[in-house]
Amino acid sequence: MWMDTACRALREHKVLELRYDGYSRCVEVHAVGYTKTGEPMMRAWQVRGGSASGEKVGWKLMRLSEALGAVISDEASAAPRKGYKRGDPALERIVCEL
């Protein structure tokens, strides 16, 4: 699980690079926490990379348990992105957020 790494990227205002759903992705982390069922998730703005949905840029809700490797890049995050609201309703318990 990559919760600590995602929260560190958020705190340091850096882009997080990860493998997810078979694609390399670069995201700006906005919130990290747990769903009602206890699933660790993050709300992020994808700045580039692949996507099963075909949407290569935009808002993503990602299961941290499905990430295959995550590193904090040297690239600065432009978060918060337009449309971000604190207290993401998809996350029952928030661990870190902008």
Side-chain angles (χ1 to χ4, degrees):
M1 188 170 65
W2 302 98
M3 189 167 285
D4 291 340
T5 304
C7 283
R8 191 170 135 225
L10 183 151
R11 285 191 308 273
E12 295 178 6
H13 304 285
K14 298 290 185 181
V15 169
L16 184 66
E17 298 176 3
L18 64 150
R19 289 284 298 168
Y20 187 87
D21 207 18
Y23 297 94
S24 293
R25 300 180 184 212
C26 294
V27 301
E28 297 167 343
V29 182
H30 284 64
V32 179
Y34 296 93
T35 64
K36 290 178 183 178
T37 61
E39 179 79 34
M41 304 283 273
M42 75 173 164
R43 175 73 66 187
W45 178 268
Q46 184 167 314
V47 293
R48 67 183 165 278
S51 173
S53 70
E55 295 178 21
K56 297 181 179 190
V57 174
W59 288 111
K60 306 289 181 183
L61 183 61
M62 306 171 94
R63 289 178 177 85
L64 290 172
S65 60
E66 293 183 11
L68 300 175
V71 296
I72 299 169
S73 74
D74 290 331
E75 183 181 349
S77 170
R81 293 291 182 150
K82 186 176 182 175
Y84 172 68
K85 295 178 185 164
R86 288 178 58 87
D88 192 316
L91 303 174
E92 171 134 316
R93 184 166 66 90
I94 294 174
V95 174
C96 62
E97 68 179 330
L98 292 174

